[in-house]
Amino acid sequence: MNTSLQEINSFIQTAVQGIPLIDDALQKLLYYAEKGATCTCKGQNPDTNGQERKSYNLGQDVFYQYLQFTTAPLSDSSPGDIVVITDDGHVACLNHVNASMKIYDTDGSHVGTIPLERESWDMTVVNNSAVAVTLPDFCCIDIFDIHNEQIVKSIQLTTMCFGITTLKNTLVVGCDRRTLIIDPQTTKVENTIDTGDYSPTRLCCFNGDIFYTVGTQCHDLFHYSHFNKNISKVQLPSRSLSMTTLQDGSVYVICDDSSVQHVSSDGKKYKRVTTKGLRSLGSTGGINYNPEQKKLVVTGDSITVFNEY
């Protein structure tokens, strides 16, 4: 009898201690409901590293312009350049015409230049110090250490490769009528996604879902759902040049009509971005968002860095 009473007393005390936690959760839900936003609890999304993830309305002002710079090493840049920003704040800009990769700090200072021996197509961040570049004509992916300015690994494929992005610890590569999921450490192909008659030329990912475009004249943005394995598409006002995923899973797409379109995370709706510095970009090709830095970087005739509100 004494043991049973002790167990009941312990249960009551545990329940009472849990009341503040329940109240805190209810207050948080009420706060987000009043703001008209969606609450994503910590730990639910592995890509946020324990941070709460915001949810945006399409077209809302998410960023403000922080810095714009054009330096001598970039003066030979051409529209269509690809840009990425690493977790430690380095900006890498891929120049197709001059076959080189230029490295900057986000304050605009030029860190270094890596000459490329082969013609590249796309680039993505692998980790703080490494970026991966696709080389379609050679059916391979080169991984460079941007700190040491040298190639550290080359992944040979059996097919041409075009667009590339990163999903967690894997590379997502657009190839001839399929997308490959590759472990950059072992170079093993972990999964293959059939994309029909289309070859993904630009990609971005979030929580297993993949957005991609095909060809240079197509206005469609495709969405592969990791949940049901279905592929859907939405037609944009003009063809896309580059894209990046924001922290809520929605996508910024640069189109060749100089606009940035904000596409919903399910790939069904979009709205033009009117943020200063993004409403009319001119001859701009590359865009990339880094959730660790909370920065957006856009490149073309110059490099523009945006901070998140």
Side-chain angles (χ1 to χ4, degrees):
M1 179 65 72
N2 290 336
T3 301
S4 298
L5 289 173
Q6 290 174 358
E7 291 177 350
I8 292 171
N9 182 58
S10 175
F11 173 79
I12 293 173
Q13 290 181 359
T14 301
V16 170
Q17 291 172 358
I19 289 175
L21 298 177
I22 297 172
D23 181 66
D24 179 66
L26 290 173
Q27 292 295 328
K28 184 175 292 187
L29 288 172
L30 180 61
Y31 168 80
Y32 281 102
E34 290 174 347
K35 295 292 184 181
T38 302
C39 173
T40 301
C41 298
K42 293 182 178 180
Q44 191 174 13
N45 178 9
D47 292 333
T48 58
N49 295 324
Q51 300 176 359
E52 290 187 2
R53 178 165 57 89
K54 296 179 182 179
S55 181
Y56 305 118
N57 297 319
L58 290 183
Q60 80 172 81
D61 285 345
V62 180
F63 304 95
Y64 62 93
Q65 187 171 319
Y66 166 71
L67 179 68
Q68 186 175 53
F69 60 93
T70 301
T71 59
L74 192 66
S75 61
D76 54 4
S77 177
S78 63
D81 283 349
I82 302 302
V83 68
V84 295
I85 180 169
T86 64
D87 288 350
D88 63 359
H90 284 90
V91 176
C93 184
L94 189 64
N95 189 296
H96 299 299
V97 174
N98 296 283
S100 63
M101 184 192 308
K102 301 176 179 64
I103 315 300
Y104 302 88
D105 281 329
T106 51
D107 62 2
S109 57
H110 179 241
V111 176
T113 300
I114 303 175
L116 305 178
E117 296 181 359
R118 300 181 282 189
E119 185 176 355
S120 59
W121 179 269
D122 201 4
M123 175 172 59
T124 191
V125 173
V126 179
N127 53 46
N128 280 351
S129 61
V131 297
V133 176
T134 56
L135 307 161
D137 293 339
F138 298 90
C139 301
C140 75
I141 302 165
D142 283 348
I143 299 178
F144 292 87
D145 187 317
I146 61 173
H147 294 168
N148 296 328
E149 300 185 14
Q150 62 184 6
I151 187 171
V152 294
K153 182 178 294 186
S154 188
I155 303 174
Q156 190 65 50
L157 304 177
T158 58
T159 177
M160 295 181 71
C161 51
F162 304 99
I164 188 169
T165 188
T166 308
L167 178 63
K168 299 179 182 176
N169 296 319
T170 63
L171 298 175
V172 181
V173 187
C175 297
D176 183 23
R177 291 173 293 181
R178 58 190 179 273
T179 298
L180 302 180
I181 313 299
I182 301 174
D183 185 329
Q185 298 299 321
T186 64
T187 71
K188 179 182 178 181
V189 177
E190 297 185 343
N191 192 19
T192 300
I193 301 170
D194 184 7
T195 54
D197 295 330
Y198 302 107
S199 302
T201 53
R202 293 282 183 259
L203 307 98
C204 61
C205 296
F206 187 84
N207 277 1
D209 283 12
I210 303 173
F211 289 86
Y212 63 92
T213 58
V214 297
T216 58
Q217 300 301 323
C218 183
H219 292 195
D220 293 331
L221 176 67
F222 292 82
H223 172 249
Y224 168 79
S225 172
H226 177 72
F227 176 71
N228 56 26
K229 314 302 181 185
N230 287 340
I231 297 177
S232 60
K233 64 181 180 180
V234 62
Q235 189 176 71
L236 299 178
S238 61
R239 68 183 181 95
S240 62
L241 300 176
S242 183
M243 66 180 75
T244 190
T245 312
L246 305 186
Q247 63 171 304
D248 69 338
S250 60
V251 179
Y252 267 13
V253 183
I254 295 182
C255 295
D256 70 352
D257 62 358
S258 300
S259 70
V260 176
Q261 303 294 335
H262 190 184
V263 183
S264 60
S265 58
D266 60 4
K268 296 180 179 179
K269 299 175 292 183
Y270 66 88
K271 188 174 182 179
R272 182 167 182 163
V273 176
T274 58
T275 302
K276 182 179 179 181
L278 292 174
R279 65 171 65 97
S280 182
L281 294 175
S283 57
T284 299
I287 187 169
N288 186 246
Y289 170 74
N290 185 285
E292 290 294 326
Q293 289 287 320
K294 296 188 182 299
K295 294 182 185 295
L296 180 79
V297 61
V298 179
T299 189
D301 298 328
S302 61
I303 293 179
T304 308
V305 181
F306 296 83
N307 284 343
E308 188 173 353
Y309 282 112

